[in-house]
Amino acid sequence: MLRIGIVGASGYTGSELMRLLINHPKVEVSYVTANRHIGTKVADLNKGLYGLIGLSFEEFDPRRVKDLTDFVFVALPHGKSMDVVPALLESGVKLIDLSGDFRFADKDIYESWYKMEHTAGSLLGKAAYGLSELNREMIKASSFVANPGCFPTGAILALAPALKADLIEASGIIIDALTGTSGAGRVASEELHFSEVSENVTSYKLGGIHQHIPEMEAELAKIAGVEVKVSFSPHLASFSRGIYSTIYADLKKKTSLEDVISVYDGFYAGEHFVKVLLKGHYPEVKSVSGSNFCQIGIAVDERLNRLIIISAIDNLIKGASGQAIQNMNLMLGLKEKDGLEMAGLRP
């Protein structure tokens, strides 16, 4: 069995990694860190893992990583991963970083959007971008992968076929996305109190300031071969997990819904974790919750000559930990579906 370490294992993404990895046929979790919970048993913090993981959280020590692991996930917040990734790479382990610290090649872009100094600038541009369906061969060949953000995952998978086939204009794309409360992480805040969130929808970081915008635009531009501009509006909704993105793009010419669906079917032919729905069918958050699947539904507004794309993912799985395991499987030469063959939790 391959030994897996998780740095920052007490948050939601770290907890999801452990929950998914205990069912993986080829790996075992051997080392977990959480500086706020040093000495605490994993199952005391995450009671769903009681009797399944006997480890306790440790303080991060790169020497322990080298001795106890063959592969490492870094599940620390933005701005914290850059403090540990250099030492991990120097130790020779393969790793996936789930923060935004290494998704960009340009230090100035990171610092401008994330509003903090990047202290490991020499590593920028060294990580493969871990969107498995689009960068599979690059991920297989890499020892260092930057896992995509949750919002970009849903948006890029939804837009990639249309941009690749030159069906839509590359500017003026509108992405309107609802996310569940787990996207904010485990740290408590007033706006996430039950009485504030329940039966409610709120908006945040409007006006082109969300840090996922440059990630979306950079990766979509690689697909389109031209500069891509998006208007992105995130909303917090009263469900625990999921991202539901409704995307609007102007068609370059009159195109039937049947032809668009044919393009999407061809683009994702053979892809297990992306499901293009039939004409007249649209995704639901419940249908992907608890799974590594992305569902895509498509409509054409003939009056405005506009393409409407809807995607749904579980933000903690396909948007984070599940996609990270999918990438790990590619990096280690394992079956891509290992540990991830679960359907959505409905109802």
Side-chain angles (χ1 to χ4, degrees), residues 222-291:
K222 293 175 185 176
I223 297 162
V226 296
E227 184 180 44
V228 175
K229 291 295 183 183
V230 305
S231 177
F232 172 56
S233 298
H235 313 282
L236 179 66
S238 59
F239 47 84
S240 294
R241 54 167 77 210
I243 289 179
Y244 195 83
S245 301
T246 304
I247 301 169
Y248 306 90
D250 293 327
L251 287 161
K252 287 191 169 183
K253 61 182 181 181
K254 293 286 185 181
T255 309
S256 71
L257 175 56
E258 290 79 8
D259 285 346
V260 175
I261 291 176
S262 178
V263 166
Y264 273 70
D265 284 339
F267 191 92
Y268 287 120
E271 291 294 346
H272 181 68
F273 291 115
V274 179
K275 303 300 184 187
V276 180
L277 303 185
L278 297 172
K279 178 181 176 180
H281 293 258
Y282 306 105
E284 298 178 5
V285 169
K286 277 281 190 183
S287 297
V288 297
S289 180
S291 81

Side-chain angles (χ1 to χ4, degrees), residues 69-91:
T69 72
D70 302 301
F71 191 97
V72 175
F73 294 99
V74 179
L76 295 171
H78 312 308
K80 299 297 183 182
S81 288
M82 66 180 82
D83 295 336
V84 305
V85 164
L88 289 171
L89 290 174
E90 191 173 328
S91 75

Side-chain angles (χ1 to χ4, degrees), residues 135-260:
N135 296 329
R136 184 169 284 110
E137 295 308 314
M138 186 187 304
I139 294 163
K140 284 181 179 179
S142 181
S143 60
F144 178 25
V145 166
N147 219 54
C150 51
F151 283 123
T153 295
I156 294 169
L157 290 174
L159 283 162
L163 285 169
K164 187 69 174 178
D166 202 28
L167 293 179
I168 58 175
E169 300 290 349
S171 62
I173 296 170
I174 297 171
I175 303 168
D176 196 37
L178 296 110
T179 183
T181 56
S182 60
R186 190 166 231 150
V187 178
S189 61
E190 184 176 324
E191 61 269 20
L192 294 175
H193 288 177
F194 176 80
S195 55
E196 299 291 335
V197 174
S198 179
E199 300 183 82
N200 197 15
V201 176
T202 57
S203 303
Y204 63 101
K205 290 189 178 180
L206 298 181
I209 62 172
H210 196 283
Q211 69 273 14
H212 283 168
I213 290 173
E215 182 181 343
M216 294 178 188
E217 292 182 342
E219 296 306 317
L220 290 171
K222 293 175 185 176
I223 297 162
V226 296
E227 184 180 44
V228 175
K229 291 295 183 183
V230 305
S231 177
F232 172 56
S233 298
H235 313 282
L236 179 66
S238 59
F239 47 84
S240 294
R241 54 167 77 210
I243 289 179
Y244 195 83
S245 301
T246 304
I247 301 169
Y248 306 90
D250 293 327
L251 287 161
K252 287 191 169 183
K253 61 182 181 181
K254 293 286 185 181
T255 309
S256 71
L257 175 56
E258 290 79 8
D259 285 346
V260 175

Side-chain angles (χ1 to χ4, degrees), residues 24-70:
H24 197 291
K26 300 294 184 182
V27 307
E28 61 180 358
V29 180
S30 60
Y31 174 73
V32 292
T33 81
N35 287 353
R36 290 194 302 127
H37 300 283
I38 294 170
T40 301
K41 289 183 178 180
V42 166
D44 286 344
L45 184 66
N46 188 339
K47 293 179 172 57
L49 297 175
Y50 187 86
L52 300 173
I53 291 184
L55 299 173
S56 296
F57 295 111
E58 300 185 30
E59 185 176 10
F60 172 71
D61 183 344
R63 293 168 299 180
R64 294 276 288 166
V65 173
K66 188 172 183 178
D67 291 341
L68 296 177
T69 72
D70 302 301

